[in-house]
Amino acid sequence: GLGNLAPKFVEAGAKANATTVAKIAARVESLVKSDGAYRVEKIQKATNTGDAVTFRTFAERWTSGELARVYPDHVPVKSSVSDDIERLQKHVYPRVKDVPLATFTREHADHVMTQLPVTLRRATRRHVAQLINRVLNLAVFTGAIASNPLPRGWLPKAPKAESVGKESLLPSEEAKLLAGRNAAGETV
């Protein structure tokens, strides 16, 4: 039945060009009859019209607000989208931008995480992991992939609130900082 064909359609659609996507959509529509047109239209809107839906092209649909427009009840517009774009461009895209969603694995996600600078705060590392996971969850939701390859519990643990921002200065750094101030604390 259709249940056995759905993963094959999703996999083929993720690698397909616009013509092939149209053929797949027509076949799915013919199989699911009357309510199929709505579902097929939604999937087509969220699917790349180029040759393959890559991690980057799909993530850019999210950060551009396209997914929020297509799925307004399920994908909210993010207020911190500029931070997300910066983290994706700096840490994620250089490692996995051209990986097709259909072949994205946990190993790809783990590779991104192992390539993060060791100097990044735990909270930033978690943000990067959350972005990868969110893109994959959205891809599942839209039908671009059948399932998220990341297991439950893959996200790094969140740092404890009291440990964030409690870095201290070395005595030499403190001396340099205070060197330009007088006894009243005013800058000289």
Side-chain angles (χ1 to χ4, degrees):
L2 182 60
N4 295 335
L5 292 174
K8 292 177 184 174
F9 283 136
V10 170
E11 185 174 336
K15 299 176 187 173
N17 61 27
T19 305
T20 306
V21 169
K23 288 177 184 177
I24 292 168
R27 179 73 176 128
V28 170
E29 186 171 354
S30 71
L31 289 170
V32 295
K33 305 264 190 262
S34 63
D35 69 332
Y38 175 74
R39 281 190 245 146
V40 171
E41 178 186 333
K42 286 288 193 178
I43 291 170
Q44 278 183 316
K45 285 183 181 176
T47 304
N48 188 6
T49 57
D51 289 1
V53 178
T54 65
F55 185 91
R56 182 177 187 150
T57 56
F58 191 86
E60 287 174 343
R61 287 194 178 106
W62 174 45
T63 58
S64 73
E66 179 184 336
L67 294 181
R69 286 187 300 277
V70 175
Y71 303 99
D73 297 326
H74 301 286
V75 182
V77 175
K78 288 196 69 182
S79 58
S80 64
V81 74
S82 61
D83 293 342
D84 296 340
I85 291 170
E86 182 180 338
R87 287 185 184 115
L88 286 164
Q89 288 176 342
K90 188 173 185 179
H91 303 297
V92 181
Y93 295 157
R95 310 283 184 257
V96 297
K97 67 180 174 192
D98 297 326
V99 175
L101 275 176
T103 60
F104 194 96
T105 64
R106 176 185 176 167
E107 287 73 27
H108 290 109
D110 288 342
H111 177 68
V112 169
M113 296 304 291
T114 60
Q115 297 302 306
L116 292 176
V118 293
T119 55
L120 282 183
R121 292 185 8 233
R122 282 184 61 198
T124 304
R125 298 177 71 81
R126 181 174 166 84
H127 283 298
V128 171
Q130 284 175 314
L131 286 171
I132 295 168
N133 194 50
R134 179 65 174 147
V135 167
L136 294 171
N137 282 334
L138 287 169
V140 171
F141 174 77
T142 64
I145 57 175
S147 63
N148 185 337
L150 302 180
R152 191 176 173 98
W154 180 81
L155 286 176
K157 299 289 181 227
K160 292 187 167 112
E162 65 270 6
S163 69
V164 174
K166 285 214 168 188
E167 295 179 13
S168 58
L169 295 175
L170 294 172
S172 60
E173 294 169 328
E174 184 178 5
K176 286 179 188 174
L177 182 66
L178 297 175
R181 300 189 179 270
N182 63 19
E186 298 167 341
T187 305
V188 232

